[in-house]
Amino acid sequence: MEGTSEPVLDASSRVTNQLIDFQWKLGMAVSSDSCRSLKYPYVAVMLKVMDPAGQVKSRSFEMTIPQFQNFYRQFKEIAAVIETV
């Protein structure tokens, strides 16, 4: 993918926002404007973060089940690394 770059996290990276709240729900999409019967599950996530100035902002996103499974796998890897520290 030319022209796109992902943020790089390393030992010198600073976390600029603090996680205040994490909520999730499992949902089922049943229809949309273009399709009468979707019937696919998804995970909806709502985050509340506080920036360095103390302002709380909400961010939300949805993941398909395969995206959630990848997300979960990455968190398991994080947990495994933390256990070795």
Side-chain angles (χ1 to χ4, degrees), residues 11 21 32-33 40 43 49 51 55 57 64 74 77 82-83:
D21 190 31
S32 74
D33 292 341
Y40 70 87
V43 176
V49 295
D51 67 19
Q55 292 195 337
K57 298 177 181 179
T64 63
Q74 291 180 40
E77 290 174 16
I82 288 173
E83 288 178 4

Side-chain angles (χ1 to χ4, degrees), residues 3-79:
T4 62
S5 65
E6 292 186 18
V8 176
L9 295 176
D10 59 26
S12 64
S13 296
R14 281 192 16 222
V15 175
T16 57
N17 294 306
Q18 179 182 359
L19 180 63
I20 302 297
D21 190 31
F22 180 97
Q23 296 179 17
W24 65 273
K25 71 177 180 177
L26 180 62
M28 180 74 76
V30 292
S31 68
S32 74
D33 292 341
S34 61
C35 183
R36 289 186 181 263
S37 182
L38 297 175
K39 295 184 181 159
Y40 70 87
Y42 64 91
V43 176
V45 177
M46 171 71 85
L47 303 175
K48 282 190 181 179
V49 295
M50 184 170 52
D51 67 19
Q55 292 195 337
V56 175
K57 298 177 181 179
S58 295
R59 299 288 183 248
S60 62
F61 57 93
E62 293 178 356
M63 293 180 276
T64 63
I65 296 305
Q67 288 171 325
F68 173 75
Q69 289 168 332
N70 183 48
F71 182 78
Y72 174 70
R73 225 177 351 265
Q74 291 180 40
F75 268 85
K76 281 178 58 176
E77 290 174 16
I78 293 168

